[in-house]
Amino acid sequence: LECLVEYRVDTEAGLRMIDILAIDRSRKKAYLIDPTIRYHSKDPARDVEREVAAEKRTHYEPAAQIIRRTLDLEEASIVPLWFDPRAAIPLSVSGFFRDMRLPMSELGKICEAILLDSRAGAPIRHTRHVPRAPEDSGAPEASWGALEASWGR
């Protein structure tokens, strides 16, 4: 798989910046991956995961169509990966990691870094939407680099 970071697509709705674009040319398929950190709602009637997914699909669908057409692909899937700063891992995220055979250890590191930042009261610092643990905390650094590299294995 080919993995492109911060890929930009100019659409009629405006410029869309895709955090991670993974392309499987042999299967003629692309994944527009957008990790998002947002708190879960205490309101039982509100489904934050569905809200995030709907927002991302609306935002990225024009870009997905352009990518599908310009790269001559059969499919371009929008993959919204929602993380809760309290380290809750939605089934959609763990399922995506499992289905794509991404290292679950990286998912654990990402969640740990998110949790450490949120518990310390520190503002969540983003690197492609994934926070880094403070240098003096001894916590592992959340890095999409390892995930990006695993796509090419």
Side-chain angles (χ1 to χ4, degrees):
L1 289 173
E2 180 181 351
C3 188
L4 307 170
V5 179
E6 297 179 353
Y7 189 82
R8 290 171 173 76
V9 177
D10 195 10
T11 71
E12 288 183 18
L15 188 66
R16 299 294 184 248
M17 201 268 297
I18 301 158
D19 291 339
I20 303 169
L21 176 63
I23 305 166
D24 184 343
R25 293 189 190 273
S26 66
R27 293 185 176 168
K28 300 187 79 134
K29 188 170 184 174
Y31 302 91
L32 291 75
I33 304 169
D34 187 57
T36 301
I37 300 168
R38 190 177 300 176
Y39 280 98
H40 191 275
S41 175
K42 291 182 181 180
D43 178 358
R46 186 170 170 216
D47 187 339
V48 177
E49 185 173 12
R50 283 190 186 183
E51 285 177 17
V52 168
E55 288 171 17
K56 301 303 176 180
R57 284 191 179 87
T58 299
H59 185 76
Y60 289 113
E61 187 54 41
Q65 291 175 14
I66 290 169
I67 288 168
R68 190 171 35 248
R69 189 173 54 249
T70 58
L71 298 179
D72 191 31
L73 302 172
E74 291 175 6
E75 187 178 347
S77 300
I78 300 163
V79 182
L81 297 179
W82 167 61
F83 292 89
D84 185 316
R86 292 169 292 213
I89 304 172
L91 291 175
S92 61
V93 173
S94 59
F96 178 76
F97 271 65
R98 184 192 64 248
D99 294 347
M100 295 291 117
R101 292 189 269 158
L102 294 170
M104 292 303 247
S105 60
E106 289 301 313
L107 178 57
K109 290 176 189 177
I110 291 166
C111 291
E112 184 176 354
I114 293 168
L115 181 62
L116 287 171
D117 273 359
S118 66
R119 286 206 174 155
I124 295 178
R125 292 171 299 285
H126 293 78
T127 300
R128 295 187 193 106
H129 292 284
V130 179
R132 293 180 177 262
E135 287 77 16
D136 59 345
S137 72
E141 216 175 76
S143 170
W144 284 105
L147 292 178
E148 293 161 6
S150 72
W151 283 92
R153 61 176 161 73

